[in-house]
Structures are given as C-alpha cells and as structure tokens.
Amino acid sequence: MLKEFKTFIAKGNVMDLAVGIIIGAAFTAIVGSLVSDLINPIIGLILGGVDFTNMYVVLSGTVPAGAGLQVARDSGAAIFAYGSFITAVINFLIIAFVVFMLVKAMNRLMPKPVPAPAAPAGPTEVDLLKDILVELKK
C-alpha cells in the first residue's frame, strides 16, 4: 500500500495540483488585499465615506451605536453582515475572471489537434450489387 501511495504522489498530475493549490492560496491573498485595501475604500467613498467592510444590520440583540463589525460579532448579537458578503462576491468575481483569462491563454498556447485523415471510402451499395451481378453471370 505504501508503494502504491508513493507511485500516486509521484505522478505529474498530483504534483501539478499541489503547485496549483499553493499558487492559488497566494493569489487569493493578493486578491483579498486588492479588494479590502483598494476596491472597498473606493466603494466606501462612493457611498459617502462609509467603511464598506463594516456594513451590517442588527437582526436581534444590542450593539453599541457606530460599532464595527467585529465588535458587533463579539457582542453576541445576531447580525446580517452584508458588507462581508459583498466583499466575498467581489473576491470571487476577480478570481473567476483571472482563472478564465488563464484558461483562455492556455487554450491559445496549446497546439490545435490535427484531425485524423478520413478513412478511405469503401464500396457503395451500387458497386456491391454490380459485383454480385457479375458473379451471378459467371
């Protein structure tokens, strides 16, 4: 069983997958910073200087007025953190777009499959009937 596991791990696809996961994790950190440090402040500016990541609605419980999202969560109140959700959606859309562009670029770089030459056409039904007629006339 250990030998089979070593063979499985040594396959190229598994190693490619591991490298992809590591690069994906690093890329996710970059996208997270892009959204939280660049995009959210611009959206907050558009919304009148509101900190976008701290947007929430208290569903039940009490939260001090003007408290940030983490304070609201720590208070034990039920909150609807729509700012965090929108941030996650923005992160997803950016990552999905980059993955789309990578796949599109890879497809462009990959050689196009050469179609196999068509198999030679066999005799038609009319040709077979003519051959049968010739044989019957013998």
Side-chain angles (χ1 to χ4, degrees):
M1 181 184 248
L2 185 60
K3 183 178 179 182
E4 289 179 73
F5 181 71
K6 286 181 183 178
T7 304
F8 171 75
I9 291 297
K11 287 184 179 178
N13 293 343
V14 174
M15 296 307 289
D16 292 344
L17 179 63
V19 169
I21 289 172
I22 292 168
I23 291 173
F27 182 70
T28 300
I30 292 170
V31 170
S33 176
L34 171 73
V35 171
S36 65
D37 298 333
L38 300 177
I39 294 175
N40 283 348
I42 293 171
I43 293 173
L45 182 64
I46 292 169
L47 295 175
V50 177
D51 182 8
F52 185 67
T53 57
N54 283 318
M55 291 183 165
Y56 63 90
V57 174
V58 179
L59 300 175
S60 67
T62 57
V63 176
L69 178 61
Q70 193 57 46
V71 172
R73 285 183 173 158
D74 292 342
S75 72
I79 58 168
F80 182 73
Y82 63 91
S84 294
F85 175 74
I86 293 172
T87 300
V89 169
I90 293 169
N91 284 345
F92 170 77
L93 291 174
I94 291 171
I95 291 172
F97 178 73
V98 170
V99 168
F100 169 75
M101 296 305 290
L102 286 172
V103 168
K104 190 171 180 171
M106 287 303 296
N107 286 340
R108 196 174 304 134
L109 293 175
M110 298 297 283
K112 301 285 184 224
V114 177
T124 64
E125 189 175 320
V126 173
D127 293 336
L128 291 174
L129 289 173
K130 286 180 182 176
D131 290 343
I132 292 171
L133 184 61
V134 169
E135 290 297 320
L136 288 175
K137 288 184 179 180
K138 287 185 185 178

